[in-house]
Amino acid sequence: MTTTDDYATYIASLPRVLAGAAALYRDAEGRVLIVEPNYREGWALPGGTIESDQGESPRAAARRESAEEIGIDVPLGRLLAVDWTLGAGRPPLVAYLYDGGVLDAAQIASITLQEEELLSWRFVEPAELTARLGGSLGLRAREAYRVLQSGEGTVELENGRRPASS
């Protein structure tokens, strides 16, 4: 076996991790845009899987997914949160959440849903994020919104919560 074969075998033996990216869009009142997928229960943020096999970065994935899902294609702001999320029946997920900015009336009026994946969209008050999004996504969105409001730097999360200091 060559060194290349050994390396390929080693890489194939490593654990798998999923990676996703989303954007936190707001309206002028500070409400957060959420979307309703047709392929699972509940609500989500605009975003999706990072196509790393295509060389896509998390930021590029969040922008691409937003353009595909809601028709909004704008440069994203800063990284607000990175979340390591364990899930039952799937590999761990590393989720990146970016500042999508404040959408103006014209952008809101231009929202066009990707009918293959989404049923509807709406703006919700920040206090509703954990109830509407549920689980680690709701916690992640809440923490990202806090980061926006406080001006603090990117937050590291585990299952949507800040890890205990080591």
Side-chain angles (χ1 to χ4, degrees), residues 13-14 16 21 52 61 75 79 93-94 107 114 134 141 154 161:
S13 74
L14 293 175
R16 298 290 172 237
S52 58
L79 178 63
L93 168 70
V94 177
Q107 289 170 311
Q114 181 183 31
T154 302
R161 293 185 165 84

Side-chain angles (χ1 to χ4, degrees), residues 2-160:
T2 68
T3 303
T4 303
D5 291 335
D6 290 341
Y7 184 70
T9 300
Y10 166 72
I11 294 297
S13 74
L14 293 175
R16 298 290 172 237
V17 175
L18 304 175
L24 192 75
Y25 295 99
R26 292 151 343 269
D27 67 7
E29 289 80 44
R31 298 176 301 169
V32 176
L33 176 68
I34 61 174
V35 294
E36 182 183 20
N38 62 15
Y39 52 86
R40 67 174 174 85
E41 294 285 322
W43 293 78
L45 295 171
T49 302
I50 300 167
E51 295 179 358
S52 58
D53 59 335
Q54 303 295 315
E56 187 173 55
S57 71
R59 177 178 296 277
R63 184 170 178 173
R64 174 188 53 77
E65 286 282 351
S66 293
E68 290 174 2
E69 291 184 349
I70 60 173
I72 300 292
D73 186 11
V74 296
L76 298 176
R78 67 190 182 98
L79 178 63
L80 302 172
V82 177
D83 191 8
W84 173 263
T85 304
L86 299 175
R90 68 157 171 79
L93 168 70
V94 177
Y96 298 82
L97 185 49
Y98 293 91
D99 180 5
V102 176
L103 301 177
D104 63 29
Q107 289 170 311
I108 293 169
S110 75
I111 291 175
T112 306
L113 291 179
Q114 181 183 31
E115 293 180 6
E116 297 82 20
E117 290 187 17
L118 300 177
L119 298 170
S120 63
W121 64 272
R122 68 186 312 174
F123 283 99
V124 298
E125 295 294 333
E128 296 178 60
L129 288 171
T130 54
R132 292 287 184 171
L133 299 175
S136 60
L137 175 58
L139 296 171
R140 181 182 322 126
R142 181 187 68 193
E143 287 298 319
Y145 195 87
R146 284 184 186 164
V147 165
L148 276 170
Q149 298 305 302
S150 70
E152 73 178 286
T154 302
V155 65
E156 173 192 0
L157 304 171
E158 293 177 8
N159 298 309

